[in-house]
Amino acid sequence: MTSQEILNLLSQSEIDEIISNPIDFFRFVNSYEPHPFQKAILLDKSKKQVIRVGRQCGKTQVVATRSLYRAITEYRYNGLILAPTKEQASILFKKVLSILDNNPVLNIFLAAPALKTQVYFKGGNWIRLVAATSIRGYTADEIMIDEAPYFPEDLFIAVTPILAATDGSETLLGTPFGKQGKFYKACLPNSGYSAYHVPATQISHITKEFLENEKL
């Protein structure tokens, strides 16, 4: 079935229902029930978030989904995806592309076909992948920094002006890498960040046997 055929089967009220709230949107585009920590992140309106979750536990999926939801539903949203290297940043951006590829109905919100490093939405919103060394000069409503524990500290200084004009939000993602740097400080109490720490033992699709083998 083509994208247009799928769209023809949906009424405007059904489309409105899909984007009525971020949790229902997550269910629709990912075809599974979000984990409790993912639901909390989707509903969190704080300007600064730090997500300290193990690999393959769903942190990239929820941030990619939320970014798409904001780009589709908000009047103004420009999302910038960063990481220490362009290759690392592309992991999060590829999640965005994967969601779009797997859900043809979302094409109605796009201004043009998605590209390898950027997606443009009707109304002027966009999500873009940028190398950490090329961030100066941008303005954004959200910055998503993947592999944040490894992000150069001097580049964090360059990130702040990007959000100045928009009063935008900042999301840091990563796994622990020692007691050092901005990511570690953001995870501490009273840091000003809404912090999420979810160990792999709390993720239902990761088995106890797998974790025991990893420890060994």
Side-chain angles (χ1 to χ4, degrees):
M1 185 177 292
T2 66
S3 300
Q4 190 57 51
E5 288 172 333
I6 293 173
L7 296 177
N8 291 339
L9 295 176
L10 294 173
S11 65
Q12 184 59 50
S13 61
E14 288 173 318
I15 294 172
D16 292 341
E17 182 66 24
I18 290 169
I19 62 173
S20 61
N21 67 76
I23 293 179
D24 284 343
F25 182 77
F26 185 100
R27 293 187 183 108
F28 174 77
V29 301
N30 296 306
S31 300
Y32 68 87
E33 184 71 15
H35 296 291
F37 87 89
Q38 291 175 318
K39 290 182 179 179
I41 290 170
L42 290 168
L43 297 175
D44 192 338
K45 301 296 184 182
S46 59
K47 294 286 186 181
K48 293 185 175 183
Q49 296 181 18
V50 57
I51 304 172
R52 179 162 54 109
V53 182
R55 301 187 186 281
Q56 302 300 316
C57 290
K59 63 181 180 299
T60 305
Q61 195 75 30
V62 69
V63 172
T65 302
R66 186 183 63 183
S67 183
L68 267 175
Y69 181 78
R70 293 188 64 183
I72 289 170
T73 62
E74 295 185 10
Y75 174 72
R76 186 194 70 190
Y77 175 79
N78 294 331
L80 207 57
I81 295 174
L82 307 172
T85 68
K86 189 173 182 179
E87 289 73 21
Q88 289 170 319
S90 69
I91 295 172
L92 176 51
F93 188 75
K94 284 178 180 177
K95 287 287 186 182
V96 172
L97 296 181
S98 176
I99 293 171
L100 291 171
D101 288 342
N102 292 330
N103 295 273
V105 68
L106 299 183
N107 289 340
I108 61 174
F109 302 107
L110 301 184
L115 303 175
K116 289 184 179 180
T117 60
Q118 54 196 7
V119 184
Y120 287 96
F121 299 82
K122 293 176 180 177
N125 290 346
W126 50 258
I127 302 172
R128 188 173 295 165
L129 157 67
V130 178
T133 53
S134 305
I135 59 178
R136 288 174 175 83
Y138 279 97
T139 298
D141 300 283
E142 181 180 23
I143 291 176
M144 296 154 277
I145 302 180
D146 203 359
E147 300 293 349
Y150 306 92
F151 200 76
E153 292 297 304
D154 60 323
L155 291 180
F156 274 119
I157 299 173
V159 164
T160 304
I162 296 175
L163 302 173
T166 63
D167 190 27
S169 57
E170 176 186 325
T171 302
L172 308 180
L173 302 84
T175 52
F177 182 60
K179 297 182 178 181
Q180 58 189 351
K182 181 172 179 175
F183 182 81
Y184 169 71
K185 293 175 183 177
C187 294
L188 297 176
N190 304 316
S191 67
Y193 283 78
S194 180
Y196 295 88
H197 174 211
V198 185
T201 53
Q202 295 181 14
I203 304 300
S204 58
H205 65 263
I206 297 181
T207 66
K208 181 178 180 181
E209 290 75 17
F210 173 82
L211 294 176
E212 289 300 324
N213 287 333
E214 288 299 293
K215 289 179 180 179
L216 291 175

